[in-house]
Amino acid sequence: MEDQSGQVITREMLAEEAATPGVVPHGIQLAAGWFWRLLVIGAGLYGIWFVLSGLSEVIIPLLVALLFTAALWPMKTWLQGRGLPRGAAAGLSLLALVALVAAIFSLVGAQIASQSSSLADASVKSYEQFMNWLASGPLQLHETQIDGWTQKGIVWAKSQQSVFTGYAAAAGAQLGHFFAGIALALFALFYFLYEGRTFARAGFSLVPKGSRSRIADACGKGWTSLVSYVRAAVIVAAVDGLGAGIGAALVGSDLFLAIGALTFITAFVPLLGAFVAGLVSTSVVLLTLGWVKALIMLGIFVAVMELEAHVLQPFLLGKAVSIHPLAVLYGLAVGTILAGVVGALFAVPMLAFANAFIRAMRSHGSHDELPADEESGHEPAAVALSEEPSTQP
């Protein structure tokens, strides 16, 4: 056996150490060494987390921009390969994203606006049916009891007006921060697409020269894994949204576009997103079309979730990133506890990058030069963000 310094420890030495009064056993020294080092690492991580939490209004837009950069990087590279200047390729990729998002929200907003009156009427009708069921159903509640509970609810709502006003003011402030974050994310997204390689080179210049190529290779593998994950996640979300929208149209819902768009957006949060979209969509169908079609809609969502879990994720996400489902589940749980919805959104992409980075650090030694792309054999796409910037304007 060897100690931390590499010195060989024999049984005789351990026995002599144990027999010497006042000498701390080697096992205790080893455990203490691990313990204080882990404490230092934990304190460092907590300090980093504390700083990042205080700068969340700046950090979150940067992370969002980084994810969209991973999604748009293949498109930007393809446009550059067709002869477009680097700036034009980055700008067109950004405009394509903005146009897609604007089209989705415009279609959804127009559909909701056109169905708002019928949705309100259906909601009132469903409420009346629920009240009738309380009176004539198995509960056999008297009308006076229902009226009494309704009046108590109205009185409580009036007494909480100041609280509701505070919530509304806070929501207005958060809305302002949200739009400011969108502006920051779009600005950062353009420059990540335009000068991402320059930023990466500047970052790698801070790494010690002896480890630079190895870390660059590991970062490149992590970036490749992140791009593959985002691409697969977009395909999975599109299939989920299409399936949910077609299912809603088949049951006769006039809000099928809104249901499909909601499913597409929430599908980027693995496991939890489809559940939330199914709950909201089934509730909408229940209010507008009744419980029979709501059950059919629920069955459609179960089928979509099964398709995602047993077909799409194993064949697409499984090939993109080799992460065990248990790691995904616990990553989502930890991300949600630490940062809520934002943590759930970024947990799996961060796991994908970290998994590929650690695998590359373990399997590759130091190299004198940056590695070439193993698949294409052309420019080192595995370290796509670490190349010298193009000379194009």
Side-chain angles (χ1 to χ4, degrees):
M1 183 173 62
E2 296 182 356
D3 62 4
Q4 290 178 321
S5 63
Q7 180 181 358
V8 178
I9 301 175
T10 63
R11 293 183 178 179
E12 291 76 10
M13 293 174 63
L14 291 175
E16 182 181 355
E17 181 183 87
T20 304
V23 175
V24 179
H26 176 73
I28 301 298
Q29 295 179 16
L30 186 62
W34 274 99
F35 186 74
W36 74 258
R37 286 175 173 84
L38 290 175
L39 280 180
V40 171
I41 293 173
L45 292 176
Y46 178 79
I48 293 173
W49 174 253
F50 180 79
V51 173
L52 293 180
S53 299
L55 299 174
S56 60
E57 294 183 7
V58 176
I59 299 299
I60 291 175
L62 282 178
L63 292 177
V64 171
L66 192 62
L67 277 186
F68 279 113
T69 302
L72 296 177
W73 192 265
M75 179 180 179
K76 175 251 182 185
T77 304
W78 182 84
L79 290 174
Q80 269 191 276
R82 296 301 180 274
L84 281 180
R86 183 158 49 98
L92 282 178
S93 301
L94 180 60
L95 286 177
L97 173 67
V98 173
L100 177 63
V101 174
I104 291 175
F105 280 99
S106 297
L107 289 174
V108 171
Q111 189 177 63
I112 293 177
S114 64
Q115 300 296 325
S116 58
S117 59
S118 60
L119 183 62
D121 295 339
S123 300
V124 173
K125 185 178 179 180
S126 298
Y127 174 78
E128 293 174 350
Q129 290 176 349
F130 178 69
M131 291 293 104
N132 292 333
W133 179 81
L134 290 178
S136 59
L139 298 178
Q140 294 293 321
L141 297 178
H142 295 292
E143 186 176 348
T144 55
Q145 290 177 301
I146 298 174
D147 291 340
W149 291 341
T150 303
Q151 291 300 322
K152 287 180 180 179
I154 294 174
V155 171
W156 177 84
K158 290 182 178 179
S159 66
Q160 300 295 318
Q161 283 185 352
S162 59
V163 177
F164 294 150
T165 302
Y167 286 155
Q174 291 298 322
L175 189 63
H177 294 162
F178 174 75
F179 284 111
I182 289 179
L184 283 175
L186 291 176
F187 193 75
L189 174 57
F190 173 77
Y191 278 101
F192 283 167
L193 291 171
Y194 180 57
E195 293 185 308
R197 295 171 178 174
T198 306
F199 295 154
R201 281 289 183 184
F204 289 136
S205 66
L206 303 177
V207 178
K209 198 169 184 179
S211 304
R212 188 174 301 170
S213 59
R214 185 181 180 187
I215 293 178
D217 177 52
C219 288
K221 293 297 195 304
W223 174 255
T224 301
S225 179
L226 181 61
V227 171
S228 300
Y229 168 80
V230 173
R231 185 187 305 165
V234 170
I235 296 174
V236 171
V239 173
D240 286 352
L242 187 62
I246 292 175
L250 291 176
V251 299
S253 176
D254 294 328
L255 297 173
F256 61 92
L257 280 179
I259 290 174
L262 175 66
T263 307
F264 173 76
I265 293 172
T266 57
F268 287 99
V269 181
L271 303 178
L272 299 178
F275 174 77
V276 173
L279 180 64
V280 174
S281 303
T282 304
S283 301
V284 170
V285 175
L286 177 64
L287 285 175
T288 55
L289 300 175
W291 64 272
V292 175
K293 292 189 175 182
L295 289 177
I296 297 174
M297 190 68 213
L298 179 61
I300 291 172
F301 259 96
V302 170
V304 170
M305 292 176 67
E306 288 295 315
L307 175 66
E308 175 185 345
H310 297 291
V311 178
L312 297 178
Q313 286 191 358
F315 283 95
L316 293 177
L317 292 178
K319 291 182 179 180
V321 286
S322 300
I323 303 177
H324 195 277
L326 186 62
V328 174
L329 178 62
Y330 271 86
L332 284 172
V334 172
T336 304
I337 292 172
L338 292 177
V341 177
V342 175
L345 178 63
F346 291 109
V348 180
M350 292 176 67
L351 279 175
F353 182 90
N355 180 56
F357 181 88
I358 294 172
R359 284 173 179 266
M361 290 293 289
R362 285 181 174 179
S363 61
H364 295 286
S366 296
H367 303 285
D368 294 332
E369 296 181 359
L370 296 179
D373 188 359
E374 297 176 358
E375 295 182 359
S376 64
H378 299 113
E379 59 178 348
V383 283
L385 293 183
S386 64
E387 299 172 0
E388 292 290 354
S390 173
T391 56
Q392 294 175 340

